Amino acid sequence: MHEIALTNISYAYSQQAVLEDINFTAAAGEFVCLLGPSGCGKSTLLRLLAGLAAPSSGTITLDGKPISGPGLDRGVVFQDYSLFPWMTAGQNVVLALEQAFPDRPKAKLRETAQSYLEMVGLNGVFHKLPGALSGGMRQRAAIARAFAINSPVLLMDEPFGALDAITRARLQDLLLQLWQQNAAERKTVFFVTHDVEEAILLASRVVVMGLNPGSVRGIFPVDIPRPRQRQSLYSDSSFLTLRDRLIAELHADVLDELDEGRTIRTAGEGI
Ligand code: ADP
Ligand code: MG
């Protein structure tokens, strides 16, 4: 549970502007979804929040202190954030737990790792190497690892994108449950998705990003009471209105590109 403030953030990969003048503050305990077409810099922004890269200009602070590198206060699940291939799924989770809780007995940590693996639907994989698991199972193990260390900040980059619909729904519910269970210690979450409905189901606010260079196009509060029921969302008029609004905003970005005669790098993708 930390406030995260991004002030005038810009980022360039070898002279190429990727993010420009991003200003946004996530209140402590807020669930923020970042939504935008492929290539608008969502993953880059998450890497900056994780401390894996530094902005070209501007500052990112966590409760007022600048982020200067990765830390155990931020759990991360990246699209390509794979497990160590030479360690079993269980050992991967235990390793993170040892770093987060160095004083706890190892047997206890193994138990915790096992219970988080089971929570994401991975039974019987503790002793399996990542190479023996499907991509979706590896992703779930990475999610178990991020949940297990119970960090006050959670940074997730399309974590459920590669999963089947049922597993995805189950993990969305689990994530919301973990986020909601203790209001006083509610995690501050940045969750990247290009699924509009997923964003509305999860978020307190949706930040819509646009392309060329990556920027904030709009910030949309989601005023749907919690707990949100997937089944009844579709008959909720505020859900439908916001969904249309977000889709229009995403398409407007692509249409702007057409108007300006630029090449669309992302046609069809990401929306
Ligand atoms: P998103 O996650 O929204 O799809 P990314 O943050 O991955 O967007 O990428 C934003 C832009 O930065 C893209 O134009 C991409 O080509 C560029 N980019 C990403 N990673 C690198 C890199 N390592 N080197 C150079 N350019 C990169
Ligand atoms: Mg990405």
Side-chain angles (χ1 to χ4, degrees), residues 81-99 109 113 117 125-131 133 138 141-142 144-146 148-149:
Y81 192 72
S82 51
L83 307 169
F84 294 120
W86 60 88
M87 298 172 109
T88 67
Q91 285 167 338
N92 267 281
V93 182
V94 169
L95 177 69
L97 285 167
E98 282 172 346
Q99 289 164 348
L109 298 184
L117 285 169
V125 308
F126 193 98
H127 298 291
K128 292 210 167 119
L129 288 170
L133 304 176
R138 283 201 292 273
R145 176 174 61 187
I149 62 168

PDB file of all heavy atoms in Angstrom, residues 81-99 109 113 117 125-131 133 138 141-142 144-146 148-149:
ATOM      1  N   TYR A  81       8.636 -12.572 -18.110  1.00  0.00           N
ATOM      2  CA  TYR A  81       9.386 -12.721 -16.862  1.00  0.00           C
ATOM      3  C   TYR A  81       9.349 -14.184 -16.475  1.00  0.00           C
ATOM      4  O   TYR A  81       8.486 -14.643 -15.765  1.00  0.00           O
ATOM      5  CB  TYR A  81       8.746 -11.863 -15.779  1.00  0.00           C
ATOM      6  CG  TYR A  81       9.592 -11.704 -14.547  1.00  0.00           C
ATOM      7  CD1 TYR A  81      10.736 -10.915 -14.565  1.00  0.00           C
ATOM      8  CD2 TYR A  81       9.248 -12.330 -13.359  1.00  0.00           C
ATOM      9  CE1 TYR A  81      11.509 -10.763 -13.452  1.00  0.00           C
ATOM     10  CE2 TYR A  81      10.018 -12.173 -12.225  1.00  0.00           C
ATOM     11  CZ  TYR A  81      11.144 -11.387 -12.281  1.00  0.00           C
ATOM     12  OH  TYR A  81      11.900 -11.234 -11.154  1.00  0.00           O
ATOM     13  N   SER A  82      10.320 -14.912 -16.995  1.00  0.00           N
ATOM     14  CA  SER A  82      10.223 -16.360 -16.844  1.00  0.00           C
ATOM     15  C   SER A  82      10.862 -16.817 -15.539  1.00  0.00           C
ATOM     16  O   SER A  82      11.549 -16.076 -14.863  1.00  0.00           O
ATOM     17  CB  SER A  82      10.881 -17.029 -18.033  1.00  0.00           C
ATOM     18  OG  SER A  82      12.175 -16.477 -18.182  1.00  0.00           O
ATOM     19  N   LEU A  83      10.619 -18.054 -15.232  1.00  0.00           N
ATOM     20  CA  LEU A  83      11.202 -18.674 -14.050  1.00  0.00           C
ATOM     21  C   LEU A  83      12.651 -19.057 -14.353  1.00  0.00           C
ATOM     22  O   LEU A  83      13.009 -19.216 -15.514  1.00  0.00           O
ATOM     23  CB  LEU A  83      10.400 -19.930 -13.702  1.00  0.00           C
ATOM     24  CG  LEU A  83       8.892 -19.724 -13.568  1.00  0.00           C
ATOM     25  CD1 LEU A  83       8.182 -21.070 -13.495  1.00  0.00           C
ATOM     26  CD2 LEU A  83       8.574 -18.892 -12.338  1.00  0.00           C
ATOM     27  N   PHE A  84      13.446 -19.230 -13.311  1.00  0.00           N
ATOM     28  CA  PHE A  84      14.791 -19.775 -13.539  1.00  0.00           C
ATOM     29  C   PHE A  84      14.635 -21.211 -14.016  1.00  0.00           C
ATOM     30  O   PHE A  84      14.053 -22.047 -13.310  1.00  0.00           O
ATOM     31  CB  PHE A  84      15.621 -19.728 -12.258  1.00  0.00           C
ATOM     32  CG  PHE A  84      15.920 -18.330 -11.797  1.00  0.00           C
ATOM     33  CD1 PHE A  84      15.487 -17.891 -10.555  1.00  0.00           C
ATOM     34  CD2 PHE A  84      16.634 -17.450 -12.612  1.00  0.00           C
ATOM     35  CE1 PHE A  84      15.751 -16.599 -10.129  1.00  0.00           C
ATOM     36  CE2 PHE A  84      16.894 -16.153 -12.186  1.00  0.00           C
ATOM     37  CZ  PHE A  84      16.459 -15.733 -10.943  1.00  0.00           C
ATOM     38  N   PRO A  85      15.147 -21.517 -15.211  1.00  0.00           N
ATOM     39  CA  PRO A  85      14.854 -22.818 -15.820  1.00  0.00           C
ATOM     40  C   PRO A  85      15.534 -23.996 -15.116  1.00  0.00           C
ATOM     41  O   PRO A  85      15.089 -25.131 -15.272  1.00  0.00           O
ATOM     42  CB  PRO A  85      15.381 -22.671 -17.248  1.00  0.00           C
ATOM     43  CG  PRO A  85      16.327 -21.530 -17.230  1.00  0.00           C
ATOM     44  CD  PRO A  85      15.911 -20.634 -16.101  1.00  0.00           C
ATOM     45  N   TRP A  86      16.589 -23.703 -14.343  1.00  0.00           N
ATOM     46  CA  TRP A  86      17.311 -24.800 -13.687  1.00  0.00           C
ATOM     47  C   TRP A  86      16.747 -25.131 -12.300  1.00  0.00           C
ATOM     48  O   TRP A  86      17.216 -26.031 -11.629  1.00  0.00           O
ATOM     49  CB  TRP A  86      18.810 -24.473 -13.586  1.00  0.00           C
ATOM     50  CG  TRP A  86      19.077 -23.221 -12.777  1.00  0.00           C
ATOM     51  CD1 TRP A  86      19.245 -23.149 -11.424  1.00  0.00           C
ATOM     52  CD2 TRP A  86      19.188 -21.891 -13.268  1.00  0.00           C
ATOM     53  NE1 TRP A  86      19.448 -21.854 -11.047  1.00  0.00           N
ATOM     54  CE2 TRP A  86      19.420 -21.055 -12.152  1.00  0.00           C
ATOM     55  CE3 TRP A  86      19.103 -21.310 -14.547  1.00  0.00           C
ATOM     56  CZ2 TRP A  86      19.567 -19.678 -12.281  1.00  0.00           C
ATOM     57  CZ3 TRP A  86      19.260 -19.940 -14.657  1.00  0.00           C
ATOM     58  CH2 TRP A  86      19.484 -19.139 -13.535  1.00  0.00           C
ATOM     59  N   MET A  87      15.743 -24.365 -11.870  1.00  0.00           N
ATOM     60  CA  MET A  87      15.115 -24.641 -10.571  1.00  0.00           C
ATOM     61  C   MET A  87      13.695 -25.108 -10.799  1.00  0.00           C
ATOM     62  O   MET A  87      13.034 -24.648 -11.738  1.00  0.00           O
ATOM     63  CB  MET A  87      15.039 -23.356  -9.743  1.00  0.00           C
ATOM     64  CG  MET A  87      16.360 -22.755  -9.403  1.00  0.00           C
ATOM     65  SD  MET A  87      16.039 -21.156  -8.648  1.00  0.00           S
ATOM     66  CE  MET A  87      16.484 -21.525  -7.023  1.00  0.00           C
ATOM     67  N   THR A  88      13.192 -25.964  -9.909  1.00  0.00           N
ATOM     68  CA  THR A  88      11.804 -26.404 -10.065  1.00  0.00           C
ATOM     69  C   THR A  88      10.863 -25.225  -9.829  1.00  0.00           C
ATOM     70  O   THR A  88      11.275 -24.184  -9.289  1.00  0.00           O
ATOM     71  CB  THR A  88      11.454 -27.512  -9.046  1.00  0.00           C
ATOM     72  OG1 THR A  88      11.480 -26.933  -7.737  1.00  0.00           O
ATOM     73  CG2 THR A  88      12.421 -28.691  -9.139  1.00  0.00           C
ATOM     74  N   ALA A  89       9.593 -25.413 -10.209  1.00  0.00           N
ATOM     75  CA  ALA A  89       8.593 -24.360  -9.990  1.00  0.00           C
ATOM     76  C   ALA A  89       8.569 -23.985  -8.502  1.00  0.00           C
ATOM     77  O   ALA A  89       8.567 -22.805  -8.137  1.00  0.00           O
ATOM     78  CB  ALA A  89       7.226 -24.840 -10.446  1.00  0.00           C
ATOM     79  N   GLY A  90       8.567 -25.009  -7.640  1.00  0.00           N
ATOM     80  CA  GLY A  90       8.537 -24.775  -6.199  1.00  0.00           C
ATOM     81  C   GLY A  90       9.750 -23.993  -5.721  1.00  0.00           C
ATOM     82  O   GLY A  90       9.619 -23.027  -4.964  1.00  0.00           O
ATOM     83  N   GLN A  91      10.940 -24.403  -6.207  1.00  0.00           N
ATOM     84  CA  GLN A  91      12.169 -23.703  -5.788  1.00  0.00           C
ATOM     85  C   GLN A  91      12.160 -22.244  -6.239  1.00  0.00           C
ATOM     86  O   GLN A  91      12.664 -21.369  -5.537  1.00  0.00           O
ATOM     87  CB  GLN A  91      13.399 -24.413  -6.382  1.00  0.00           C
ATOM     88  CG  GLN A  91      13.733 -25.713  -5.670  1.00  0.00           C
ATOM     89  CD  GLN A  91      14.741 -26.548  -6.479  1.00  0.00           C
ATOM     90  OE1 GLN A  91      14.887 -26.385  -7.690  1.00  0.00           O
ATOM     91  NE2 GLN A  91      15.426 -27.438  -5.781  1.00  0.00           N
ATOM     92  N   ASN A  92      11.589 -21.992  -7.402  1.00  0.00           N
ATOM     93  CA  ASN A  92      11.483 -20.613  -7.875  1.00  0.00           C
ATOM     94  C   ASN A  92      10.672 -19.758  -6.903  1.00  0.00           C
ATOM     95  O   ASN A  92      11.043 -18.629  -6.602  1.00  0.00           O
ATOM     96  CB  ASN A  92      10.824 -20.576  -9.260  1.00  0.00           C
ATOM     97  CG  ASN A  92      11.823 -20.609 -10.399  1.00  0.00           C
ATOM     98  OD1 ASN A  92      12.421 -19.603 -10.734  1.00  0.00           O
ATOM     99  ND2 ASN A  92      12.014 -21.790 -10.972  1.00  0.00           N
ATOM    100  N   VAL A  93       9.556 -20.305  -6.425  1.00  0.00           N
ATOM    101  CA  VAL A  93       8.718 -19.541  -5.489  1.00  0.00           C
ATOM    102  C   VAL A  93       9.431 -19.424  -4.137  1.00  0.00           C
ATOM    103  O   VAL A  93       9.458 -18.349  -3.524  1.00  0.00           O
ATOM    104  CB  VAL A  93       7.325 -20.178  -5.336  1.00  0.00           C
ATOM    105  CG1 VAL A  93       6.455 -19.350  -4.391  1.00  0.00           C
ATOM    106  CG2 VAL A  93       6.632 -20.314  -6.690  1.00  0.00           C
ATOM    107  N   VAL A  94      10.053 -20.540  -3.682  1.00  0.00           N
ATOM    108  CA  VAL A  94      10.757 -20.518  -2.397  1.00  0.00           C
ATOM    109  C   VAL A  94      11.884 -19.487  -2.416  1.00  0.00           C
ATOM    110  O   VAL A  94      12.075 -18.733  -1.453  1.00  0.00           O
ATOM    111  CB  VAL A  94      11.310 -21.930  -2.041  1.00  0.00           C
ATOM    112  CG1 VAL A  94      12.256 -21.866  -0.849  1.00  0.00           C
ATOM    113  CG2 VAL A  94      10.159 -22.898  -1.759  1.00  0.00           C
ATOM    114  N   LEU A  95      12.612 -19.404  -3.539  1.00  0.00           N
ATOM    115  CA  LEU A  95      13.713 -18.438  -3.634  1.00  0.00           C
ATOM    116  C   LEU A  95      13.227 -17.010  -3.387  1.00  0.00           C
ATOM    117  O   LEU A  95      13.825 -16.253  -2.619  1.00  0.00           O
ATOM    118  CB  LEU A  95      14.375 -18.535  -5.018  1.00  0.00           C
ATOM    119  CG  LEU A  95      15.500 -17.524  -5.272  1.00  0.00           C
ATOM    120  CD1 LEU A  95      16.715 -17.852  -4.408  1.00  0.00           C
ATOM    121  CD2 LEU A  95      15.895 -17.516  -6.749  1.00  0.00           C
ATOM    122  N   ALA A  96      12.092 -16.658  -4.031  1.00  0.00           N
ATOM    123  CA  ALA A  96      11.540 -15.312  -3.834  1.00  0.00           C
ATOM    124  C   ALA A  96      11.125 -15.126  -2.375  1.00  0.00           C
ATOM    125  O   ALA A  96      11.342 -14.059  -1.776  1.00  0.00           O
ATOM    126  CB  ALA A  96      10.348 -15.102  -4.758  1.00  0.00           C
ATOM    127  N   LEU A  97      10.543 -16.184  -1.784  1.00  0.00           N
ATOM    128  CA  LEU A  97      10.112 -16.096  -0.383  1.00  0.00           C
ATOM    129  C   LEU A  97      11.310 -15.926   0.553  1.00  0.00           C
ATOM    130  O   LEU A  97      11.248 -15.174   1.527  1.00  0.00           O
ATOM    131  CB  LEU A  97       9.313 -17.346   0.000  1.00  0.00           C
ATOM    132  CG  LEU A  97       7.878 -17.413  -0.543  1.00  0.00           C
ATOM    133  CD1 LEU A  97       7.307 -18.810  -0.383  1.00  0.00           C
ATOM    134  CD2 LEU A  97       6.997 -16.391   0.183  1.00  0.00           C
ATOM    135  N   GLU A  98      12.424 -16.617   0.244  1.00  0.00           N
ATOM    136  CA  GLU A  98      13.635 -16.489   1.084  1.00  0.00           C
ATOM    137  C   GLU A  98      14.154 -15.066   1.060  1.00  0.00           C
ATOM    138  O   GLU A  98      14.638 -14.550   2.065  1.00  0.00           O
ATOM    139  CB  GLU A  98      14.728 -17.434   0.565  1.00  0.00           C
ATOM    140  CG  GLU A  98      14.500 -18.866   0.987  1.00  0.00           C
ATOM    141  CD  GLU A  98      15.478 -19.836   0.305  1.00  0.00           C
ATOM    142  OE1 GLU A  98      16.147 -19.444  -0.672  1.00  0.00           O
ATOM    143  OE2 GLU A  98      15.542 -20.984   0.767  1.00  0.00           O
ATOM    144  N   GLN A  99      14.048 -14.426  -0.133  1.00  0.00           N
ATOM    145  CA  GLN A  99      14.515 -13.038  -0.228  1.00  0.00           C
ATOM    146  C   GLN A  99      13.580 -12.101   0.537  1.00  0.00           C
ATOM    147  O   GLN A  99      14.025 -11.183   1.209  1.00  0.00           O
ATOM    148  CB  GLN A  99      14.618 -12.615  -1.697  1.00  0.00           C
ATOM    149  CG  GLN A  99      15.770 -13.314  -2.392  1.00  0.00           C
ATOM    150  CD  GLN A  99      15.679 -13.228  -3.913  1.00  0.00           C
ATOM    151  OE1 GLN A  99      14.657 -12.835  -4.468  1.00  0.00           O
ATOM    152  NE2 GLN A  99      16.754 -13.599  -4.581  1.00  0.00           N
ATOM    153  N   LEU A 109       8.494 -21.812   4.501  1.00  0.00           N
ATOM    154  CA  LEU A 109       8.474 -21.164   3.187  1.00  0.00           C
ATOM    155  C   LEU A 109       8.062 -22.154   2.098  1.00  0.00           C
ATOM    156  O   LEU A 109       7.341 -21.800   1.163  1.00  0.00           O
ATOM    157  CB  LEU A 109       9.841 -20.554   2.857  1.00  0.00           C
ATOM    158  CG  LEU A 109      10.326 -19.442   3.796  1.00  0.00           C
ATOM    159  CD1 LEU A 109      11.646 -18.856   3.307  1.00  0.00           C
ATOM    160  CD2 LEU A 109       9.277 -18.327   3.913  1.00  0.00           C
ATOM    161  N   ALA A 113       4.969 -21.710  -0.365  1.00  0.00           N
ATOM    162  CA  ALA A 113       5.126 -21.818  -1.827  1.00  0.00           C
ATOM    163  C   ALA A 113       4.108 -22.811  -2.378  1.00  0.00           C
ATOM    164  O   ALA A 113       3.421 -22.542  -3.365  1.00  0.00           O
ATOM    165  CB  ALA A 113       6.547 -22.252  -2.173  1.00  0.00           C
ATOM    166  N   LEU A 117       1.075 -22.098  -5.071  1.00  0.00           N
ATOM    167  CA  LEU A 117       0.997 -22.834  -6.345  1.00  0.00           C
ATOM    168  C   LEU A 117      -0.385 -23.465  -6.487  1.00  0.00           C
ATOM    169  O   LEU A 117      -1.001 -23.417  -7.548  1.00  0.00           O
ATOM    170  CB  LEU A 117       2.100 -23.903  -6.420  1.00  0.00           C
ATOM    171  CG  LEU A 117       3.517 -23.357  -6.683  1.00  0.00           C
ATOM    172  CD1 LEU A 117       4.569 -24.446  -6.472  1.00  0.00           C
ATOM    173  CD2 LEU A 117       3.630 -22.787  -8.092  1.00  0.00           C
ATOM    174  N   VAL A 125       3.094 -29.627  -9.147  1.00  0.00           N
ATOM    175  CA  VAL A 125       4.178 -29.148 -10.013  1.00  0.00           C
ATOM    176  C   VAL A 125       5.389 -28.673  -9.215  1.00  0.00           C
ATOM    177  O   VAL A 125       6.384 -28.253  -9.797  1.00  0.00           O
ATOM    178  CB  VAL A 125       3.740 -27.984 -10.940  1.00  0.00           C
ATOM    179  CG1 VAL A 125       2.486 -28.347 -11.713  1.00  0.00           C
ATOM    180  CG2 VAL A 125       3.547 -26.694 -10.173  1.00  0.00           C
ATOM    181  N   PHE A 126       5.302 -28.745  -7.896  1.00  0.00           N
ATOM    182  CA  PHE A 126       6.365 -28.201  -7.053  1.00  0.00           C
ATOM    183  C   PHE A 126       7.742 -28.686  -7.511  1.00  0.00           C
ATOM    184  O   PHE A 126       8.690 -27.922  -7.591  1.00  0.00           O
ATOM    185  CB  PHE A 126       6.131 -28.581  -5.588  1.00  0.00           C
ATOM    186  CG  PHE A 126       6.985 -27.817  -4.619  1.00  0.00           C
ATOM    187  CD1 PHE A 126       6.498 -26.710  -3.948  1.00  0.00           C
ATOM    188  CD2 PHE A 126       8.304 -28.202  -4.383  1.00  0.00           C
ATOM    189  CE1 PHE A 126       7.293 -25.988  -3.060  1.00  0.00           C
ATOM    190  CE2 PHE A 126       9.104 -27.484  -3.497  1.00  0.00           C
ATOM    191  CZ  PHE A 126       8.589 -26.389  -2.841  1.00  0.00           C
ATOM    192  N   HIS A 127       7.830 -29.992  -7.830  1.00  0.00           N
ATOM    193  CA  HIS A 127       9.141 -30.582  -8.160  1.00  0.00           C
ATOM    194  C   HIS A 127       9.409 -30.645  -9.651  1.00  0.00           C
ATOM    195  O   HIS A 127      10.329 -31.302 -10.089  1.00  0.00           O
ATOM    196  CB  HIS A 127       9.247 -31.984  -7.536  1.00  0.00           C
ATOM    197  CG  HIS A 127       9.157 -31.937  -6.043  1.00  0.00           C
ATOM    198  ND1 HIS A 127      10.149 -31.394  -5.254  1.00  0.00           N
ATOM    199  CD2 HIS A 127       8.173 -32.330  -5.188  1.00  0.00           C
ATOM    200  CE1 HIS A 127       9.787 -31.467  -3.977  1.00  0.00           C
ATOM    201  NE2 HIS A 127       8.590 -32.020  -3.912  1.00  0.00           N
ATOM    202  N   LYS A 128       8.577 -29.943 -10.431  1.00  0.00           N
ATOM    203  CA  LYS A 128       8.783 -29.981 -11.886  1.00  0.00           C
ATOM    204  C   LYS A 128       9.613 -28.782 -12.350  1.00  0.00           C
ATOM    205  O   LYS A 128       9.422 -27.658 -11.871  1.00  0.00           O
ATOM    206  CB  LYS A 128       7.438 -29.971 -12.612  1.00  0.00           C
ATOM    207  CG  LYS A 128       6.661 -31.253 -12.385  1.00  0.00           C
ATOM    208  CD  LYS A 128       5.782 -31.574 -13.593  1.00  0.00           C
ATOM    209  CE  LYS A 128       5.262 -32.989 -13.504  1.00  0.00           C
ATOM    210  NZ  LYS A 128       3.811 -33.060 -13.454  1.00  0.00           N
ATOM    211  N   LEU A 129      10.478 -29.027 -13.303  1.00  0.00           N
ATOM    212  CA  LEU A 129      11.247 -27.925 -13.892  1.00  0.00           C
ATOM    213  C   LEU A 129      10.338 -27.151 -14.856  1.00  0.00           C
ATOM    214  O   LEU A 129       9.429 -27.736 -15.456  1.00  0.00           O
ATOM    215  CB  LEU A 129      12.450 -28.482 -14.654  1.00  0.00           C
ATOM    216  CG  LEU A 129      13.575 -29.047 -13.777  1.00  0.00           C
ATOM    217  CD1 LEU A 129      14.596 -29.797 -14.618  1.00  0.00           C
ATOM    218  CD2 LEU A 129      14.258 -27.927 -12.971  1.00  0.00           C
ATOM    219  N   PRO A 130      10.568 -25.834 -14.998  1.00  0.00           N
ATOM    220  CA  PRO A 130       9.735 -25.043 -15.900  1.00  0.00           C
ATOM    221  C   PRO A 130       9.633 -25.647 -17.300  1.00  0.00           C
ATOM    222  O   PRO A 130       8.575 -25.591 -17.927  1.00  0.00           O
ATOM    223  CB  PRO A 130      10.447 -23.689 -15.924  1.00  0.00           C
ATOM    224  CG  PRO A 130      11.104 -23.610 -14.582  1.00  0.00           C
ATOM    225  CD  PRO A 130      11.535 -25.014 -14.259  1.00  0.00           C
ATOM    226  N   GLY A 131      10.720 -26.266 -17.765  1.00  0.00           N
ATOM    227  CA  GLY A 131      10.710 -26.864 -19.103  1.00  0.00           C
ATOM    228  C   GLY A 131       9.671 -27.961 -19.256  1.00  0.00           C
ATOM    229  O   GLY A 131       9.284 -28.302 -20.372  1.00  0.00           O
ATOM    230  N   LEU A 133       6.675 -27.737 -17.991  1.00  0.00           N
ATOM    231  CA  LEU A 133       5.339 -27.125 -17.833  1.00  0.00           C
ATOM    232  C   LEU A 133       4.951 -26.400 -19.118  1.00  0.00           C
ATOM    233  O   LEU A 133       5.816 -25.941 -19.869  1.00  0.00           O
ATOM    234  CB  LEU A 133       5.359 -26.110 -16.681  1.00  0.00           C
ATOM    235  CG  LEU A 133       5.824 -26.611 -15.316  1.00  0.00           C
ATOM    236  CD1 LEU A 133       5.870 -25.451 -14.332  1.00  0.00           C
ATOM    237  CD2 LEU A 133       4.914 -27.708 -14.804  1.00  0.00           C
ATOM    238  N   ARG A 138       3.652 -22.089 -16.568  1.00  0.00           N
ATOM    239  CA  ARG A 138       4.810 -21.289 -16.137  1.00  0.00           C
ATOM    240  C   ARG A 138       4.354 -19.893 -15.715  1.00  0.00           C
ATOM    241  O   ARG A 138       4.809 -19.347 -14.723  1.00  0.00           O
ATOM    242  CB  ARG A 138       5.827 -21.166 -17.286  1.00  0.00           C
ATOM    243  CG  ARG A 138       6.644 -22.416 -17.490  1.00  0.00           C
ATOM    244  CD  ARG A 138       7.925 -22.093 -18.244  1.00  0.00           C
ATOM    245  NE  ARG A 138       7.678 -21.705 -19.625  1.00  0.00           N
ATOM    246  CZ  ARG A 138       7.579 -22.577 -20.633  1.00  0.00           C
ATOM    247  NH1 ARG A 138       7.712 -23.863 -20.412  1.00  0.00           N
ATOM    248  NH2 ARG A 138       7.358 -22.147 -21.851  1.00  0.00           N
ATOM    249  N   ALA A 141       2.860 -20.059 -12.388  1.00  0.00           N
ATOM    250  CA  ALA A 141       3.890 -20.181 -11.342  1.00  0.00           C
ATOM    251  C   ALA A 141       4.503 -18.804 -11.051  1.00  0.00           C
ATOM    252  O   ALA A 141       4.765 -18.461  -9.889  1.00  0.00           O
ATOM    253  CB  ALA A 141       4.964 -21.183 -11.770  1.00  0.00           C
ATOM    254  N   ALA A 142       4.693 -18.013 -12.113  1.00  0.00           N
ATOM    255  CA  ALA A 142       5.228 -16.657 -11.912  1.00  0.00           C
ATOM    256  C   ALA A 142       4.231 -15.796 -11.128  1.00  0.00           C
ATOM    257  O   ALA A 142       4.617 -14.973 -10.293  1.00  0.00           O
ATOM    258  CB  ALA A 142       5.551 -16.014 -13.259  1.00  0.00           C
ATOM    259  N   ALA A 144       2.032 -17.044  -8.953  1.00  0.00           N
ATOM    260  CA  ALA A 144       2.098 -17.559  -7.576  1.00  0.00           C
ATOM    261  C   ALA A 144       3.267 -16.925  -6.829  1.00  0.00           C
ATOM    262  O   ALA A 144       3.151 -16.523  -5.675  1.00  0.00           O
ATOM    263  CB  ALA A 144       2.242 -19.085  -7.589  1.00  0.00           C
ATOM    264  N   ARG A 145       4.394 -16.811  -7.514  1.00  0.00           N
ATOM    265  CA  ARG A 145       5.583 -16.217  -6.899  1.00  0.00           C
ATOM    266  C   ARG A 145       5.318 -14.756  -6.521  1.00  0.00           C
ATOM    267  O   ARG A 145       5.664 -14.316  -5.414  1.00  0.00           O
ATOM    268  CB  ARG A 145       6.756 -16.317  -7.880  1.00  0.00           C
ATOM    269  CG  ARG A 145       8.018 -15.657  -7.388  1.00  0.00           C
ATOM    270  CD  ARG A 145       9.176 -15.921  -8.319  1.00  0.00           C
ATOM    271  NE  ARG A 145       8.917 -15.397  -9.658  1.00  0.00           N
ATOM    272  CZ  ARG A 145       9.702 -15.598 -10.712  1.00  0.00           C
ATOM    273  NH1 ARG A 145      10.795 -16.319 -10.582  1.00  0.00           N
ATOM    274  NH2 ARG A 145       9.407 -15.084 -11.871  1.00  0.00           N
ATOM    275  N   ALA A 146       4.692 -14.004  -7.413  1.00  0.00           N
ATOM    276  CA  ALA A 146       4.416 -12.589  -7.115  1.00  0.00           C
ATOM    277  C   ALA A 146       3.417 -12.451  -5.965  1.00  0.00           C
ATOM    278  O   ALA A 146       3.568 -11.593  -5.092  1.00  0.00           O
ATOM    279  CB  ALA A 146       3.891 -11.880  -8.359  1.00  0.00           C
ATOM    280  N   ALA A 148       2.886 -14.676  -3.590  1.00  0.00           N
ATOM    281  CA  ALA A 148       3.421 -15.270  -2.347  1.00  0.00           C
ATOM    282  C   ALA A 148       4.217 -14.261  -1.529  1.00  0.00           C
ATOM    283  O   ALA A 148       4.140 -14.264  -0.302  1.00  0.00           O
ATOM    284  CB  ALA A 148       4.290 -16.486  -2.677  1.00  0.00           C
ATOM    285  N   ILE A 149       4.982 -13.401  -2.201  1.00  0.00           N
ATOM    286  CA  ILE A 149       5.819 -12.478  -1.414  1.00  0.00           C
ATOM    287  C   ILE A 149       4.983 -11.346  -0.820  1.00  0.00           C
ATOM    288  O   ILE A 149       5.455 -10.604   0.028  1.00  0.00           O
ATOM    289  CB  ILE A 149       7.018 -11.920  -2.220  1.00  0.00           C
ATOM    290  CG1 ILE A 149       6.535 -11.111  -3.419  1.00  0.00           C
ATOM    291  CG2 ILE A 149       7.966 -13.025  -2.642  1.00  0.00           C
ATOM    292  CD1 ILE A 149       7.653 -10.297  -4.082  1.00  0.00           C
TER     293      ILE A 149
END
